[in-house]
Amino acid sequence: MRESPATLRTLDLPGGSLLPFTAKPGGRVRVLYGRVWLTAEGDMRDAFLASGEEVSISSRGLAVIEALGPARIELIETARGPSRIAHAAAALVRRARAALRRWVPRSPRPLRGAA
């Protein structure tokens, strides 16, 4: 099975620093070294992560990571394809083009070499 493409950001955090970010479902936080505390809006459970641990984000909204000491983390966001609105807009454009082709007569092409 192929994994979805992802955006990866690696960040070094000094101890005690806070990193607010916008959480999206399907995103993940991975701790490369150190220990961090993760809290996310809409999620009743906080996560305490140490080196080598990873957690998936299930809610959308503000999330904050606090480094409990020097830490290096990866923020992984799953890349999503076009939205439903983009698909609907593309389908509408295709239908409009097809309708125009049916209703607008083609102009005759001039003959080559004719003056």
Side-chain angles (χ1 to χ4, degrees), residues 25-52:
R28 298 186 314 268
V29 174
R30 179 183 299 149
V31 179
L32 301 177
Y33 71 79
R35 292 179 45 223
V36 301
W37 170 40
L38 168 68
T39 185
E41 183 178 18
D43 191 345
M44 298 302 293
R45 299 169 292 139
D46 289 356
F48 290 90
L49 305 168
S51 297

Short mmCIF file of all heavy atoms in Angstrom, two decimals, residues 25-52:
data_model
loop_
_atom_site.label_atom_id
_atom_site.label_comp_id
_atom_site.label_asym_id
_atom_site.label_seq_id
_atom_site.Cartn_x
_atom_site.Cartn_y
_atom_site.Cartn_z
N PRO A 25 -6.69 17.01 11.05
CA PRO A 25 -6.82 15.56 11.18
C PRO A 25 -5.89 14.85 10.19
O PRO A 25 -5.75 15.26 9.05
CB PRO A 25 -8.28 15.29 10.85
CG PRO A 25 -8.97 16.58 11.15
CD PRO A 25 -7.98 17.65 10.81
N GLY A 26 -5.26 13.79 10.66
CA GLY A 26 -4.33 13.04 9.82
C GLY A 26 -2.90 13.49 9.99
O GLY A 26 -1.97 12.80 9.56
N GLY A 27 -2.69 14.65 10.61
CA GLY A 27 -1.33 15.11 10.87
C GLY A 27 -0.70 14.28 11.98
O GLY A 27 -1.40 13.60 12.75
N ARG A 28 0.62 14.32 12.05
CA ARG A 28 1.32 13.58 13.10
C ARG A 28 2.44 14.42 13.69
O ARG A 28 2.98 15.29 13.02
CB ARG A 28 1.91 12.28 12.53
CG ARG A 28 0.86 11.34 12.00
CD ARG A 28 1.42 9.98 11.57
NE ARG A 28 2.62 10.00 10.77
CZ ARG A 28 2.67 10.02 9.44
NH1 ARG A 28 1.56 10.05 8.75
NH2 ARG A 28 3.83 10.00 8.81
N VAL A 29 2.77 14.13 14.93
CA VAL A 29 3.91 14.74 15.60
C VAL A 29 4.82 13.59 16.01
O VAL A 29 4.38 12.65 16.67
CB VAL A 29 3.49 15.56 16.84
CG1 VAL A 29 4.71 16.07 17.58
CG2 VAL A 29 2.58 16.71 16.43
N ARG A 30 6.09 13.69 15.61
CA ARG A 30 7.08 12.66 15.94
C ARG A 30 8.22 13.33 16.70
O ARG A 30 8.70 14.38 16.30
CB ARG A 30 7.62 12.03 14.67
CG ARG A 30 8.66 10.96 14.88
CD ARG A 30 9.20 10.44 13.56
NE ARG A 30 8.11 9.85 12.77
CZ ARG A 30 8.07 9.84 11.45
NH1 ARG A 30 9.04 10.39 10.74
NH2 ARG A 30 7.07 9.29 10.82
N VAL A 31 8.64 12.72 17.80
CA VAL A 31 9.74 13.25 18.60
C VAL A 31 11.01 12.49 18.22
O VAL A 31 11.08 11.28 18.36
CB VAL A 31 9.46 13.12 20.11
CG1 VAL A 31 10.63 13.66 20.92
CG2 VAL A 31 8.18 13.85 20.48
N LEU A 32 11.99 13.23 17.70
CA LEU A 32 13.26 12.61 17.32
C LEU A 32 14.18 12.48 18.54
O LEU A 32 14.88 11.48 18.68
CB LEU A 32 13.93 13.41 16.21
CG LEU A 32 13.11 13.54 14.93
CD1 LEU A 32 13.81 14.42 13.92
CD2 LEU A 32 12.82 12.17 14.35
N TYR A 33 14.19 13.50 19.39
CA TYR A 33 14.85 13.37 20.69
C TYR A 33 14.26 14.38 21.64
O TYR A 33 13.65 15.37 21.24
CB TYR A 33 16.38 13.49 20.59
CG TYR A 33 16.91 14.87 20.29
CD1 TYR A 33 17.01 15.84 21.29
CD2 TYR A 33 17.34 15.21 19.03
CE1 TYR A 33 17.51 17.10 21.01
CE2 TYR A 33 17.85 16.46 18.75
CZ TYR A 33 17.92 17.41 19.75
OH TYR A 33 18.41 18.65 19.46
N GLY A 34 14.39 14.09 22.92
CA GLY A 34 13.84 14.96 23.95
C GLY A 34 12.45 14.50 24.37
O GLY A 34 12.01 13.39 24.04
N ARG A 35 11.77 15.37 25.13
CA ARG A 35 10.41 15.09 25.59
C ARG A 35 9.55 16.33 25.36
O ARG A 35 10.01 17.46 25.57
CB ARG A 35 10.43 14.75 27.09
CG ARG A 35 11.12 13.43 27.37
CD ARG A 35 11.18 13.07 28.85
NE ARG A 35 9.91 13.30 29.51
CZ ARG A 35 9.78 13.87 30.72
NH1 ARG A 35 10.83 14.26 31.39
NH2 ARG A 35 8.60 14.05 31.24
N VAL A 36 8.30 16.10 24.94
CA VAL A 36 7.39 17.21 24.69
C VAL A 36 6.00 16.91 25.24
O VAL A 36 5.65 15.75 25.49
CB VAL A 36 7.27 17.55 23.18
CG1 VAL A 36 8.62 17.91 22.59
CG2 VAL A 36 6.63 16.41 22.41
N TRP A 37 5.25 17.97 25.40
CA TRP A 37 3.85 17.88 25.79
C TRP A 37 3.04 18.47 24.65
O TRP A 37 3.32 19.57 24.18
CB TRP A 37 3.63 18.66 27.08
CG TRP A 37 2.20 18.87 27.48
CD1 TRP A 37 1.18 17.98 27.41
CD2 TRP A 37 1.65 20.07 28.04
NE1 TRP A 37 0.02 18.54 27.88
CE2 TRP A 37 0.28 19.82 28.28
CE3 TRP A 37 2.17 21.30 28.36
CZ2 TRP A 37 -0.56 20.78 28.82
CZ3 TRP A 37 1.33 22.25 28.90
CH2 TRP A 37 -0.03 21.98 29.13
N LEU A 38 2.04 17.75 24.17
CA LEU A 38 1.18 18.19 23.07
C LEU A 38 -0.25 18.29 23.56
O LEU A 38 -0.78 17.34 24.15
CB LEU A 38 1.25 17.20 21.90
CG LEU A 38 0.21 17.37 20.79
CD1 LEU A 38 0.45 18.65 20.02
CD2 LEU A 38 0.23 16.17 19.86
N THR A 39 -0.86 19.43 23.33
CA THR A 39 -2.29 19.60 23.62
C THR A 39 -2.95 20.19 22.39
O THR A 39 -2.36 21.04 21.72
CB THR A 39 -2.51 20.48 24.88
OG1 THR A 39 -3.90 20.50 25.19
CG2 THR A 39 -2.01 21.89 24.69
N ALA A 40 -4.14 19.70 22.07
CA ALA A 40 -4.84 20.16 20.86
C ALA A 40 -6.28 20.51 21.20
O ALA A 40 -6.94 19.81 21.97
CB ALA A 40 -4.81 19.07 19.79
N GLU A 41 -6.74 21.59 20.60
CA GLU A 41 -8.12 22.05 20.76
C GLU A 41 -9.08 20.96 20.31
O GLU A 41 -8.89 20.35 19.26
CB GLU A 41 -8.30 23.31 19.91
CG GLU A 41 -9.65 23.96 20.01
CD GLU A 41 -9.70 25.23 19.18
OE1 GLU A 41 -8.87 25.43 18.29
OE2 GLU A 41 -10.63 26.01 19.42
N GLY A 42 -10.09 20.69 21.12
CA GLY A 42 -11.09 19.69 20.76
C GLY A 42 -10.71 18.27 21.13
O GLY A 42 -11.49 17.34 20.94
N ASP A 43 -9.50 18.08 21.65
CA ASP A 43 -9.06 16.74 22.06
C ASP A 43 -8.88 16.76 23.58
O ASP A 43 -8.07 17.53 24.10
CB ASP A 43 -7.74 16.38 21.37
CG ASP A 43 -7.38 14.92 21.53
OD1 ASP A 43 -7.97 14.24 22.40
OD2 ASP A 43 -6.50 14.45 20.79
N MET A 44 -9.64 15.94 24.27
CA MET A 44 -9.61 15.94 25.73
C MET A 44 -8.33 15.33 26.30
O MET A 44 -8.03 15.48 27.47
CB MET A 44 -10.83 15.20 26.29
CG MET A 44 -12.16 15.84 25.90
SD MET A 44 -12.32 17.56 26.44
CE MET A 44 -12.36 17.35 28.18
N ARG A 45 -7.60 14.60 25.46
CA ARG A 45 -6.38 13.94 25.94
C ARG A 45 -5.15 14.70 25.51
O ARG A 45 -4.98 15.00 24.34
CB ARG A 45 -6.31 12.51 25.39
CG ARG A 45 -7.47 11.64 25.82
CD ARG A 45 -7.51 10.34 25.05
NE ARG A 45 -7.86 10.68 23.65
CZ ARG A 45 -7.31 10.14 22.58
NH1 ARG A 45 -6.40 9.22 22.70
NH2 ARG A 45 -7.67 10.50 21.37
N ASP A 46 -4.27 15.01 26.44
CA ASP A 46 -2.97 15.57 26.11
C ASP A 46 -2.00 14.42 25.90
O ASP A 46 -2.24 13.30 26.38
CB ASP A 46 -2.46 16.46 27.25
CG ASP A 46 -3.24 17.77 27.36
OD1 ASP A 46 -4.11 18.00 26.50
OD2 ASP A 46 -2.97 18.53 28.30
N ALA A 47 -0.93 14.67 25.20
CA ALA A 47 0.06 13.62 24.95
C ALA A 47 1.42 14.07 25.47
O ALA A 47 1.85 15.19 25.21
CB ALA A 47 0.14 13.31 23.46
N PHE A 48 2.07 13.20 26.20
CA PHE A 48 3.45 13.40 26.62
C PHE A 48 4.28 12.41 25.83
O PHE A 48 4.07 11.20 25.93
CB PHE A 48 3.59 13.17 28.13
CG PHE A 48 2.93 14.25 28.94
CD1 PHE A 48 1.60 14.14 29.32
CD2 PHE A 48 3.64 15.39 29.30
CE1 PHE A 48 0.99 15.14 30.05
CE2 PHE A 48 3.02 16.39 30.04
CZ PHE A 48 1.70 16.27 30.42
N LEU A 49 5.18 12.93 25.01
CA LEU A 49 5.95 12.09 24.09
C LEU A 49 7.44 12.20 24.39
O LEU A 49 7.93 13.27 24.74
CB LEU A 49 5.71 12.52 22.65
CG LEU A 49 4.25 12.57 22.18
CD1 LEU A 49 4.14 13.28 20.85
CD2 LEU A 49 3.71 11.16 22.09
N ALA A 50 8.12 11.08 24.22
CA ALA A 50 9.58 11.04 24.40
C ALA A 50 10.21 10.59 23.09
O ALA A 50 9.53 10.27 22.11
CB ALA A 50 9.93 10.07 25.53
N SER A 51 11.52 10.56 23.06
CA SER A 51 12.28 10.19 21.86
C SER A 51 11.71 8.94 21.21
O SER A 51 11.45 7.94 21.88
CB SER A 51 13.74 9.93 22.23
OG SER A 51 14.33 11.10 22.71
N GLY A 52 11.50 9.02 19.90
CA GLY A 52 11.02 7.87 19.13
C GLY A 52 9.52 7.68 19.13
O GLY A 52 9.01 6.82 18.42
#
